[in-house]
Coordinates of all heavy atoms in Angstrom, one line a residue:
D141 N 5.1 28.6 -21.3 CA 6.4 28.6 -22.0 C 6.7 27.2 -22.7 O 6.4 26.2 -22.1 CB 7.5 29.0 -21.1 CG 8.8 28.9 -21.8 OD1 9.1 29.9 -22.6 OD2 9.6 28.0 -21.7
G142 N 7.2 27.3 -23.9 CA 7.5 26.0 -24.6 C 6.3 25.3 -25.2 O 6.4 24.1 -25.5
S144 N 5.0 25.1 -28.0 CA 5.1 24.4 -29.3 C 5.4 23.0 -29.1 O 5.3 22.1 -30.0 CB 6.2 25.1 -30.1 OG 7.5 25.1 -29.4
N233 N 21.2 25.0 -27.3 CA 20.9 24.5 -28.7 C 22.1 24.7 -29.5 O 22.4 25.8 -30.0 CB 19.7 25.3 -29.3 CG 19.3 24.8 -30.6 OD1 20.0 24.1 -31.3 ND2 18.0 25.1 -31.0
Y236 N 23.0 26.5 -33.1 CA 23.4 27.9 -33.4 C 24.9 28.2 -33.2 O 25.4 29.3 -33.4 CB 22.6 28.8 -32.4 CG 21.1 28.7 -32.4 CD1 20.3 28.6 -31.3 CD2 20.5 28.7 -33.7 CE1 18.9 28.5 -31.4 CE2 19.1 28.6 -33.8 CZ 18.3 28.5 -32.6 OH 17.0 28.4 -32.7
Y275 N 19.0 18.9 -23.5 CA 18.3 20.1 -24.0 C 16.9 19.7 -24.5 O 16.8 19.0 -25.5 CB 19.1 20.8 -25.1 CG 18.6 22.2 -25.5 CD1 18.7 23.3 -24.6 CD2 17.8 22.4 -26.7 CE1 18.2 24.5 -25.0 CE2 17.4 23.6 -27.0 CZ 17.6 24.7 -26.1 OH 17.1 25.9 -26.5
G277 N 14.4 21.9 -25.0 CA 13.7 22.9 -25.8 C 12.5 23.5 -25.1 O 11.6 24.1 -25.7
S278 N 12.4 23.3 -23.8 CA 11.4 23.9 -23.0 C 12.1 24.5 -21.7 O 12.6 23.7 -20.9 CB 10.4 22.8 -22.6 OG 9.4 23.3 -21.7
L279 N 12.2 25.8 -21.7 CA 13.0 26.4 -20.7 C 12.8 26.0 -19.3 O 13.7 25.6 -18.5 CB 12.9 27.9 -20.8 CG 13.5 28.8 -19.7 CD1 15.1 28.6 -19.6 CD2 13.2 30.3 -19.9
V280 N 11.5 25.9 -18.9 CA 11.1 25.6 -17.5 C 11.6 24.1 -17.2 O 12.1 23.9 -16.1 CB 9.6 25.7 -17.3 CG1 9.2 25.1 -16.0 CG2 9.2 27.1 -17.4
D282 N 14.1 22.4 -18.7 CA 15.6 22.4 -18.6 C 16.1 23.1 -17.3 O 17.0 22.6 -16.6 CB 16.2 23.1 -19.8 CG 16.2 22.2 -21.1 OD1 16.6 21.1 -21.0 OD2 15.8 22.8 -22.1
Y293 N 22.2 26.4 -18.1 CA 21.4 26.6 -19.4 C 21.9 27.8 -20.0 O 22.2 28.9 -19.4 CB 19.9 26.8 -19.0 CG 19.0 27.2 -20.1 CD1 18.2 26.2 -20.8 CD2 18.9 28.5 -20.6 CE1 17.4 26.6 -21.8 CE2 18.1 28.9 -21.6 CZ 17.3 27.9 -22.2 OH 16.5 28.3 -23.3
Y295 N 21.5 30.5 -23.4 CA 20.8 30.9 -24.6 C 21.6 32.2 -25.1 O 21.2 33.3 -24.8 CB 19.3 31.2 -24.5 CG 18.7 31.1 -25.9 CD1 17.9 29.9 -26.2 CD2 18.9 32.0 -26.9 CE1 17.4 29.7 -27.4 CE2 18.4 31.8 -28.2 CZ 17.6 30.6 -28.4 OH 17.1 30.5 -29.7
K301 N 20.1 37.4 -33.6 CA 19.5 37.7 -32.4 C 20.5 38.3 -31.4 O 20.9 37.5 -30.5 CB 18.7 36.5 -31.8 CG 17.6 36.0 -32.7 CD 17.0 34.7 -32.0 CE 15.9 34.1 -32.9 NZ 15.5 32.8 -32.3
K305 N 17.0 35.3 -27.3 CA 15.6 35.0 -27.6 C 14.7 35.2 -26.4 O 13.6 35.6 -26.5 CB 15.5 33.6 -28.1 CG 14.1 33.1 -28.3 CD 14.0 31.6 -28.7 CE 12.5 31.2 -28.9 NZ 12.4 29.8 -29.3
L306 N 15.2 35.0 -25.2 CA 14.4 34.9 -24.0 C 14.0 36.3 -23.5 O 14.8 37.2 -23.6 CB 15.0 34.0 -23.0 CG 15.3 32.6 -23.5 CD1 16.1 31.8 -22.4 CD2 14.0 31.9 -23.8
R307 N 12.8 36.4 -22.9 CA 12.4 37.7 -22.4 C 12.9 37.9 -21.0 O 12.8 37.1 -20.1 CB 10.8 37.7 -22.3 CG 10.1 38.1 -23.6 CD 10.3 37.2 -24.8 NE 9.8 35.9 -24.6 CZ 9.5 35.0 -25.6 NH1 9.7 35.4 -26.9 NH2 9.1 33.8 -25.4
E311 N 10.6 35.8 -18.2 CA 11.3 34.5 -18.2 C 12.6 34.6 -17.4 O 12.8 34.0 -16.3 CB 11.7 34.0 -19.6 CG 10.4 33.6 -20.4 CD 10.7 33.4 -21.8 OE1 11.5 34.1 -22.5 OE2 10.1 32.4 -22.4
Ligands
P6P23 P1 15.2 27.2 -29.6 C1 10.5 27.9 -26.1 O1 10.1 28.5 -27.3 C2 11.6 28.8 -25.6 O2 11.2 30.1 -25.3 C3 12.2 28.1 -24.3 O3 11.2 27.4 -23.6 C4 13.3 27.2 -24.9 O4 14.3 26.9 -24.0 C5 13.8 28.0 -26.1 O5 12.7 28.8 -26.5 C6 14.1 27.0 -27.2 O6 14.6 27.9 -28.3 O7 15.8 28.4 -30.4 O8 16.4 26.3 -29.0 O9 14.2 26.4 -30.2

Side-chain angles (χ1 to χ4, degrees):
D141 177 73
S144 55
N233 185 337
Y236 300 135
Y275 191 71
S278 173
L279 171 59
V280 173
D282 283 314
Y293 172 100
Y295 208 105
K301 296 179 184 171
K305 173 183 183 182
L306 301 174
R307 271 66 60 162
E311 292 171 321

